[in-house]
Amino acid sequence: MNMTTANTARLLITCEDKPGIVQAVSSFLYHQGANITALDQYATEAQGGRYFMRVEFELDHLQSRRESLLQTFATNVAERYEMQWRLALVSDVKKVGILVSKVDHALLELLWRHARGGLPCEITKVVSNHPDLKEAVENFGIPFEVVPVNKENKREAYAKIDELMQGNDLLVLARYMQILDEEFVQKWEMKIINIHHSFLPAFVGANPYKQAHEKGVKLIGATAHYVTADLDQGPIIEQDVERVSHDFTVDQLRELGQDVERNVLARAVKWHLEDRIIVDGNKTVVFQ
């Protein structure tokens, strides 16, 4: 950790849009001696809508001043504007756990980017309901655990996974082909990111690429989203599509689709780690 990282923080704010918010926040940071390095904002309406802000700043001796900074901002700024807000220190490296089944493309993309320094986090472990990817994961120096899941042991299995994942800030479903237990999802509210294919029209069930081929789709894509109790209905973080034509085989559709999936998931995870996402109901504001 270099000195810049140690003294860098991000402030995320949501509130009713009112005059003076930008001035209040920037003035507060100025009087604290902070230097603003990035500021992004968004309002849902020209007047009277919801307001969202992400501010990144540097401040000497940030670690030792953290508590006083939080208390002072809460009293002098946040209460006045009835803000929902959080302060994240870049030096507090987020811990990430990954869930996967047998398909490896999304998992290996995350592990490779992490090994290359492209994902600012600590990947603590990978948990799977199958042993197939054990060697591939351990080659990256990351612990691998197998927790079988079936209809009879689902509650016990997710209690075990919850125990294994304690201490993590984020869980990533890298093509984990199980429906999560509702109680498990509630414990990790807005802390689980999933990836799934998103065809137009959408195809569910087995062999979606075969179904897409039979229907002659012209677009294939993927969606990364936060997980909620409603299957695949959580707030969307990122999406992408690729055009295809009538002469694509099922294997070519699958290969291209997996390429879209791995990139969409990696972007969504990176943006979460960089505190670029604010959840607003069933939508997200993503500052890029």
Side-chain angles (χ1 to χ4, degrees):
M1 181 174 66
N2 59 43
M3 188 56 66
T4 300
T5 301
N7 291 325
T8 301
R10 299 164 183 143
L11 182 62
L12 278 75
I13 295 168
T14 306
C15 62
E16 182 182 345
D17 192 10
K18 299 177 182 178
I21 296 174
V22 176
Q23 191 276 335
V25 173
S26 58
S27 178
F28 169 81
L29 292 174
Y30 169 77
H31 285 101
Q32 294 294 319
N35 179 42
I36 295 175
T37 55
L39 191 155
D40 296 284
Q41 58 181 326
Y42 167 69
T44 59
E45 306 287 345
Q47 297 285 340
R50 295 283 290 167
Y51 179 79
F52 304 86
M53 175 187 277
R54 177 187 185 270
V55 185
E56 187 168 298
F57 63 90
E58 294 184 11
L59 178 63
D60 289 341
H61 311 295
L62 180 60
Q63 292 282 352
S64 61
R65 298 179 59 184
R66 177 178 187 167
E67 290 306 316
S68 64
L69 193 72
L70 290 170
Q71 293 173 10
T72 308
F73 182 81
T75 303
N76 294 353
V77 182
E79 290 180 7
R80 191 195 332 167
Y81 290 96
E82 299 180 317
M83 294 176 173
Q84 295 175 309
W85 63 283
R86 64 183 176 90
L87 181 73
L89 274 60
V90 174
S91 58
D92 293 340
V93 178
K94 294 179 177 64
K95 294 184 178 181
V96 176
I98 301 176
L99 293 171
V100 68
S101 290
K102 292 183 178 181
V103 179
D104 65 1
H105 63 280
L107 168 70
L108 294 181
E109 183 70 23
L110 294 174
L111 297 183
W112 181 83
R113 292 195 185 207
H114 177 259
R116 302 275 294 186
L119 290 179
C121 67
E122 175 191 348
I123 297 180
T124 61
K125 62 173 60 68
V126 174
V127 173
S128 179
N129 55 325
H130 298 283
D132 302 54
L133 300 177
K134 178 179 175 66
E135 183 178 356
V137 171
E138 291 182 343
N139 283 340
F140 283 89
I142 294 172
F144 183 88
E145 301 274 356
V146 178
V147 180
V149 181
N150 54 56
K151 292 181 180 179
E152 288 70 34
N153 78 337
K154 196 164 189 177
R155 183 173 293 274
E156 294 78 9
Y158 282 109
K160 177 63 176 178
I161 295 172
D162 180 59
E163 177 185 338
L164 289 170
M165 291 301 189
Q166 285 303 307
N168 284 312
D169 302 290
L170 176 69
L171 303 184
V172 182
L173 308 186
R175 301 303 290 160
Y176 182 66
M177 308 307 291
Q178 292 287 328
I179 297 176
L180 298 181
D181 178 73
E182 186 172 341
E183 183 178 344
F184 180 88
V185 172
Q186 290 174 349
K187 287 183 179 180
W188 294 87
E189 185 178 10
M190 297 305 160
K191 293 182 179 180
I192 308 174
I193 294 177
N194 188 25
I195 184 73
H196 70 271
H197 61 78
S198 53
F199 295 114
L200 302 176
F203 298 112
V204 298
N207 297 316
Y209 291 98
K210 184 173 184 294
Q211 296 179 57
H213 184 265
E214 291 171 350
K215 291 290 186 179
V217 300
K218 300 300 184 281
L219 288 172
I220 62 171
T223 298
H225 62 94
Y226 287 112
V227 174
T228 63
D230 295 325
L231 183 64
D232 292 337
Q233 298 298 312
I236 293 171
I237 303 169
E238 171 65 336
Q239 294 178 296
D240 203 356
V241 295
E242 290 283 352
R243 284 205 163 271
V244 296
S245 71
H246 60 273
D247 60 354
F248 274 60
T249 65
V250 174
D251 287 341
Q252 287 174 320
L253 289 175
R254 181 179 294 107
E255 181 180 358
L256 184 58
Q258 290 181 348
D259 191 45
V260 178
E261 286 176 12
R262 62 165 62 94
N263 288 310
V264 167
L265 180 61
R267 289 198 293 268
V269 171
K270 189 172 189 289
W271 294 339
H272 179 100
L273 296 174
E274 293 177 344
D275 305 298
R276 296 186 179 277
I277 306 169
I278 299 177
V279 177
D280 179 36
N282 201 47
K283 298 172 66 176
T284 62
V285 173
V286 183
F287 293 113
Q288 298 179 16

